[in-house]
């Protein structure tokens, strides 16, 4: 059975997910890759509110607004 996929903006608090893909412009994809959002990277959702999320990726705590988080597809 395949893993479910959803935008990072919809992942629940305390969930651990993996990056399945990044949508957007080449510049946006490059920026997110530099922050550690690459295929297969493990992300822990620390908190979320109205689609905005605070996550830990590769040991760094980052805040993403709903727009940025909606470009990141994750598998749970």
């Amino acid at each position: 059975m395949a893993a479910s996929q959803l935008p990072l903006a919809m992942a629940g608090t305390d969930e651990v997910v993996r990056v399945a893909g990044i949508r957007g412009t080449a510049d946006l994809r490059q920026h997110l890759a530099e922050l550690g959002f690459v295929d297969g990277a493990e992300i822990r959702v620390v908190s979320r509110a109205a689609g905005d999320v605070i996550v830990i990726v590769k040991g760094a705590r980052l805040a993403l607004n709903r727009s940025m988080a909606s470009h990141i597809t994750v598998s749970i």
Side-chain angles (χ1 to χ4, degrees):
M1 180 172 164
S4 298
Q5 293 189 350
L6 66 155
L8 178 58
M10 296 181 67
T13 302
D14 290 329
E15 269 193 282
V16 176
V17 297
R18 291 201 176 270
V19 175
I22 307 288
R23 295 181 297 109
T25 65
D27 285 345
L28 176 63
R29 291 192 314 270
Q30 178 68 33
H31 176 66
L32 289 171
E34 289 168 357
L35 292 174
F37 294 95
V38 294
D39 282 353
E42 186 175 278
I43 300 172
R44 178 179 168 85
V45 179
V46 176
S47 68
R48 59 184 299 254
D52 300 339
V53 294
I54 297 174
V55 299
I56 296 175
V57 60
K58 302 208 180 227
R61 183 181 290 241
L62 302 170
L64 300 173
N65 64 23
R66 178 196 309 236
S67 174
M68 191 80 69
S70 68
H71 285 89
I72 302 168
T73 303
V74 297
S75 58
I76 55 175

